[in-house]
Amino acid sequence: MAPWDQMQLVQVDTTPPVAHVTLNRPDKLNALNRTMMRELTLAWGKILQAKDVRAVVLTGAGERAFAAGADIAELAELDAATAQALSKNGNDLMSGIERFAVPWIAAINGFALGGGLELALACTLRIASENARLGQPEVKLGLIPGYGGTQRLTRLIGPARAQEMILTGEPITAQEALRIGLVSRVVPRAELLAAADALAAQIAANAPLAVRWARQAVAGGDAGPELESSLFGLCCATADMKEGTRAFIEKRVPAFQGK
Ligand code: COA
């Protein structure tokens, strides 16, 4: 039996082309305890091995939360050394999601707080339901974000807004998150998963290597322009680029092969 067959708090479905991951601890607002973090890592590994998956949709079970943060009962027991190790493990998982071969889309269906928001930040795209609330409330607990929030939130919305969210600990509404670019869409709660699936399907229909390299170029940082040029060059060495341009000229739908 594979390790992911015994998962209790994370559901994963790798049916191509769009894999689905659901955080499944709704009675605790999908708070990320150690078991859930371990199972999320297993889900990540399962999707890595799955064939023909071209996007991943990540959401939370239940009506109230994507994830309301790391498990505060577990945090309360940490000392400095175990806390540092916990943060390092969490950061490794978030980086693994951020750099995954295909994009992850966070479908934020309620609270995305603390580690829950950091998990959404590691995804390539975030869309939210109208009732979503997003925040980094760690300072209210005597903590700081520990799963990459100080870095990714700052890159995404700029230092002033990131400092305000992190230093006040106050959550913002979905509409405010849309206004400042923390999420790219807000939809009614009932339409959230369909909207995430439609977005994933749109991405999945495009040339896989071009999608992967476009993400790398967008994340390029200081070396971005050079990286963009070399990846643009690489695209032109792929069969999919030949197919995509030829299909346009021949007025037909391209058949991409990821080559
Ligand atoms: N860790 C552990 N348990 C959590 C949790 C977390 N981060 N967030 C919520 N829960 C649990 C609650 O303890 C409660 O469990 P119980 O029913 O066994 O008492 C259950 O989830 C429901 O939460 P509750 O607080 O009763 O719901 P609410 O509607 O009154 O409040 C929130 C919702 C999100 C405002 C509130 O749960 C909250 O502030 N959570 C913590 C957010 C946070 O600080 N996250 C960052 C951690 S670093």
Side-chain angles (χ1 to χ4, degrees), residues 27-29 31 64 68-72 75 111 113-114 137-138 141:
D27 55 321
K28 298 287 184 187
L29 305 185
R64 300 203 55 216
D71 188 298
I72 297 172
L75 294 180
F111 291 112
L113 301 175
E138 287 87 349
L141 300 165

Side-chain angles (χ1 to χ4, degrees), residues 111-114 117 133-145 153 160-172:
F111 291 112
L113 301 175
L117 179 55
R133 293 289 178 275
L134 302 89
Q136 297 285 172
E138 287 87 349
V139 289
K140 292 177 185 274
L141 300 165
L143 284 164
I144 66 170
L153 188 65
R161 288 189 172 117
Q163 292 283 23
E164 185 169 328
M165 283 184 72
I166 292 169
L167 300 187
T168 65
E170 287 300 318
I172 61 173

Side-chain angles (χ1 to χ4, degrees), residues 9 11 21-30 36 58-67 107 109 189 193:
L9 301 182
Q11 293 171 348
V21 179
T22 306
L23 308 171
N24 190 20
R25 199 187 174 207
D27 55 321
K28 298 287 184 187
L29 305 185
N30 302 318
M36 195 184 277
L58 170 64
T59 195
E63 293 301 312
R64 300 203 55 216
F66 175 77
N109 56 313
R189 171 70 186 91
L193 286 185

Side-chain angles (χ1 to χ4, degrees), residues 57-233:
V57 171
L58 170 64
T59 195
E63 293 301 312
R64 300 203 55 216
F66 175 77
D71 188 298
I72 297 172
E74 289 186 355
L75 294 180
E77 304 300 322
L78 296 176
D79 60 27
T82 50
Q84 189 174 348
L86 183 98
S87 172
K88 167 86 174 61
N89 283 340
N91 261 305
D92 288 349
L93 174 59
M94 301 306 154
S95 296
I97 291 172
E98 183 175 46
R99 297 183 196 142
F100 204 79
V102 302
W104 286 51
I105 299 168
I108 302 173
N109 56 313
F111 291 112
L113 301 175
L117 179 55
E118 291 172 297
L119 179 56
L121 286 167
C123 295
T124 307
L125 290 166
R126 285 153 295 285
I127 68 175
S129 58
E130 286 166 343
N131 66 324
R133 293 289 178 275
L134 302 89
Q136 297 285 172
E138 287 87 349
V139 289
K140 292 177 185 274
L141 300 165
L143 284 164
I144 66 170
Y147 292 165
T150 60
Q151 307 303 299
R152 291 192 183 87
L153 188 65
T154 306
R155 284 205 296 274
L156 195 62
I157 64 173
R161 288 189 172 117
Q163 292 283 23
E164 185 169 328
M165 283 184 72
I166 292 169
L167 300 187
T168 65
E170 287 300 318
I172 61 173
T173 63
Q175 284 303 335
E176 177 66 359
L178 179 65
R179 195 183 69 78
I180 65 176
L182 181 46
V183 301
S184 59
R185 286 187 205 185
V186 175
V187 298
R189 171 70 186 91
E191 295 167 23
L192 180 68
L193 286 185
D197 280 346
L199 187 58
Q202 277 183 315
I203 294 169
N206 292 329
L209 290 174
V211 167
R212 184 188 305 183
W213 292 334
R215 286 173 58 223
Q216 283 178 17
V218 169
D222 288 344
E226 290 77 17
L227 183 64
E228 184 186 86
S229 296
S230 47
L231 292 172
F232 186 83

